[in-house]
Amino acid sequence: MNTLVKPLSPAISIRNVAIIYGLTAASCFLVNIVVERMPIGDWGPADISKMFWLDNVTWQLLSLWWLLLSVVSDGWPFTSVADPTRRALATIASSWVVGWFSAKAIYWTGLGADWVFPIIGTIYFLIAFISFAGENWLVTSLPPARKFFILFSLIAFLTYIITNSTIRWIPAWWFPFIEMGLASGLLAYLTRGVRQPGRGVVQIGLLFLVVLAFTVISRWLHVWDFTKAGIGDFWRIGTYTSPYFLLWFMTGCSVSYTLLVQTHNWPFRFVPMPWGGVLSCLACIVVTSAVAWLLSELVGILFASVQEALTYAYMGVNWSFTMALLFGFGVSQPYLWRGQTVPGSWDDVA
């Protein structure tokens, strides 16, 4: 056993989760106040109460996207800041500022609300495909500034092509599942030994098969309809028919990464892969379902509307990534799965 491998203690895990969701609640409360008083979208007074949730989600997701782009570009443009805490705070502050202007630009340019999810869904898919599943294979050897420039240019170009074609967008329903797959290590295990970019392609392919199963199950639960038109003509997969589906999806995005990263996949890491990873993912689904149900029950009690519940359900995704990637929450100490010899890698396993 590698003596340097020391999993987080339960106390540290609980502390990290409390901080992440404490920041989630506080920031969501403040963001809702801002977007209700100064809407990002072109909403009239009668529309703000119905659409403020979209402004909240747009702002926070675009902010997180800029933060992720900086992270996968080795911290640029703050690489010259020596102190890691100051660098992290500068990254967070700038991402929220640039995120707001990015959200506002959707309306300044005349695109409107119908473009929000096509743009966000596509840019997240591309950064996940290229930089997370794809492990930055295109720009691995480049310095931070060039890495940032190349990734931004490529993603912007491909987003323009996709959103202005019949494809229209890459549906975002894969997002909680890539969080589960990456945080559990299941995707890395299933694609061990596969070279990039093939590994990224296979991982994304697996995710889309999971999404297909997810939508079929959702149809059985009467929250999805394959006969309804979605966004664009290319994806003939229908759309959700209940706000609970959207609440579950947003909760899954907020719960999955935090749950698995902050607990070091306990106790499932003691079960050999792939079953340990599968159990981790199933645990996320169970917890997500329970939290989504609780949030729905709190509508009218704690939340004034389903729209308000949606904002709190989704804000957790921002801080779950921010605290892990910038402050090392849950990732600063490596750990091993049963049968694993190199933390975070399965490439030496047959």
Side-chain angles (χ1 to χ4, degrees), residues 28-29 82 90 104 134 137-138 162 184 196 199 255 282-283 307-308 346 348:
C28 191
F29 178 78
K104 197 68 175 177
W137 68 275
L138 276 171
I162 292 170
S184 67
Q196 294 290 6
R199 174 178 292 187
V255 165
L282 290 176
Q307 289 84 355
E308 186 179 9
W346 290 97
D348 62 332

Side-chain angles (χ1 to χ4, degrees), residues 304-325:
S305 62
V306 173
Q307 289 84 355
E308 186 179 9
L310 290 174
T311 63
Y312 283 90
Y314 220 175
M315 184 65 80
V317 68
N318 193 305
W319 290 108
S320 64
F321 279 97
T322 295
M323 300 309 292
L325 299 179

Side-chain angles (χ1 to χ4, degrees), residues 202-270:
V202 174
Q203 289 187 5
I204 293 298
L206 290 171
L207 288 172
F208 273 71
L209 292 177
V210 171
V211 170
L212 178 60
F214 174 55
T215 53
V216 170
I217 293 171
S218 298
R219 182 187 64 179
W220 293 342
L221 296 174
H222 306 294
V223 296
W224 188 272
D225 189 341
F226 283 104
T227 65
K228 290 186 176 294
I231 299 180
D233 297 327
F234 182 84
W235 303 97
R236 298 186 181 277
I237 58 174
T239 189
Y240 58 90
T241 59
S242 168
Y244 180 78
F245 178 94
L246 198 57
L247 185 63
W248 191 98
F249 165 75
M250 292 184 173
T251 303
C253 293
S254 295
V255 165
S256 301
Y257 197 75
T258 294
L259 179 64
L260 299 187
V261 170
Q262 301 310 323
T263 63
H264 283 184
N265 282 277
W266 186 90
F268 310 107
R269 67 173 182 267
F270 301 115

